[in-house]
Amino acid sequence: NNRGQLGNGTANYHSTLPVDVVGLDGDILAISAGTHHTCALTLGRTVKCWGDNYYGELGNGKADFFPVSIPVAVGALGGVKSISTGASHTCAVTETDGTKCWGHNESGQLGDESGTIFSATPVAVHDLASGVQAVSAGQDYTCALTVAGSAKCWGYNGTGQLGNRTTTDHWQPAVVNGLSEAVQAVAVGKSHMCTLTSSGSVKCWGSNRMGQLGNGTRSASWMPVDVSGLTSGIQAVAVGQSHGCALTKAGGVKCWGSNSSGQ
């Protein structure tokens, strides 16, 4: 809580017990926690954020070294269906199936027309004014799941995590190559990501130094590869910094990647 990310009006170092977020009493649909900031989706389909705001990741029109320890409304943003917070940026899918992002933009993770200029208010992601069903913000990059079942990613691409067969940063959405079937879900980690396909398989791409792609190697991949043993029967997938886990249709869990802390 050194940057006010608990939202309880203080910036104390931490709390070992749950504390109430100020002003969020029973009207919250969803919540998403980034590295040093947090955002909530309200019943009124607006977004409130708190914590670090150095790059404008709270979306309230300001960018300041000093953190905000109570929720503030994201400016000029309503009709929101879902939210996702990354390291220092935030994105939302609106009720018109369009995508907007705000905050840090050093690698083009906001996906707008500005290139790499950060924004303290929501900006429209280029060419994603409609047709998006989910968005996931990662470490300096972002990916969207389209209504048509494709994945599009933008931002930092140093280890090929955008899945477009290059390691060049993209300031605007680029289609992930090599996904031969429809995508049902996307999950973004620090420098790799995974998808759940319509057939219940899991595919991953990007950094693989800790085996987080799950394909039996430690070589990075610039396009999707199959996770070994997960070519069918999967109903959900989630990824952390350098590991991944899948929920099987039989109710089991399988994980792969870094295990330095027993993950």
Side-chain angles (χ1 to χ4, degrees):
N1 194 34
N2 60 320
R3 302 299 294 172
Q5 52 265 57
L6 299 188
N8 67 335
T10 75
N12 295 329
Y13 183 65
H14 66 271
S15 176
T16 58
L17 294 172
V19 295
D20 289 328
V21 177
V22 174
L24 298 186
D25 299 326
D27 68 339
I28 302 304
L29 285 173
I31 193 168
S32 184
T35 303
H36 294 119
H37 76 292
T38 315
C39 292
L41 173 61
T42 73
L43 285 172
R45 300 293 179 176
T46 63
V47 179
K48 294 183 178 181
C49 300
W50 58 96
D52 200 12
N53 198 32
Y54 191 80
Y55 295 105
E57 52 263 60
L58 302 189
N60 66 335
K62 302 177 182 179
D64 201 327
F65 173 79
F66 297 100
V68 178
S69 59
I70 60 173
V72 293
V74 175
L77 186 67
V80 175
K81 294 199 300 185
S82 64
I83 55 174
S84 180
T85 54
S88 299
H89 75 293
T90 312
C91 294
V93 178
T94 69
E95 290 179 334
T96 59
D97 294 337
T99 304
K100 293 188 176 183
C101 298
W102 58 95
H104 198 21
N105 198 31
E106 182 180 20
S107 300
Q109 58 263 48
L110 299 189
D112 69 333
E113 305 274 1
S114 71
T116 57
I117 300 173
F118 78 84
S119 178
T121 57
V123 294
V125 177
H126 178 77
D127 203 30
L128 290 183
S130 62
V132 175
Q133 58 175 308
V135 65
S136 187
Q139 176 83 35
D140 300 332
Y141 72 108
T142 315
C143 289
L145 171 61
T146 72
V147 173
S150 66
K152 294 184 177 182
C153 302
W154 58 96
Y156 183 68
N157 196 31
T159 58
Q161 59 263 55
L162 300 189
N164 62 354
R165 301 184 185 184
T166 76
T167 54
T168 303
D169 294 354
H170 275 254
W171 299 349
Q172 297 174 358
V175 175
V176 175
N177 297 140
L179 293 175
S180 58
E181 55 185 314
V183 175
Q184 289 191 329
V186 295
V188 171
K190 180 179 180 181
S191 54
H192 80 292
M193 69 168 293
C194 298
T195 58
L196 174 65
T197 72
S198 57
S199 66
S201 67
V202 179
K203 295 177 181 284
C204 302
W205 60 93
S207 177
N208 197 27
R209 189 171 61 89
M210 305 302 294
Q212 58 262 49
L213 300 189
N215 65 338
T217 77
R218 293 199 177 192
S219 299
S221 178
W222 300 354
M223 59 182 294
V225 295
D226 290 323
V227 176
S228 299
L230 300 185
T231 55
S232 64
I234 305 302
Q235 60 176 315
V237 64
V239 299
Q241 178 169 305
S242 299
H243 75 294
C245 290
L247 173 64
T248 71
K249 291 182 179 178
V253 177
K254 295 185 177 183
C255 300
W256 61 96
S258 176
N259 198 34
S260 58
S261 299
Q263 53 264 58

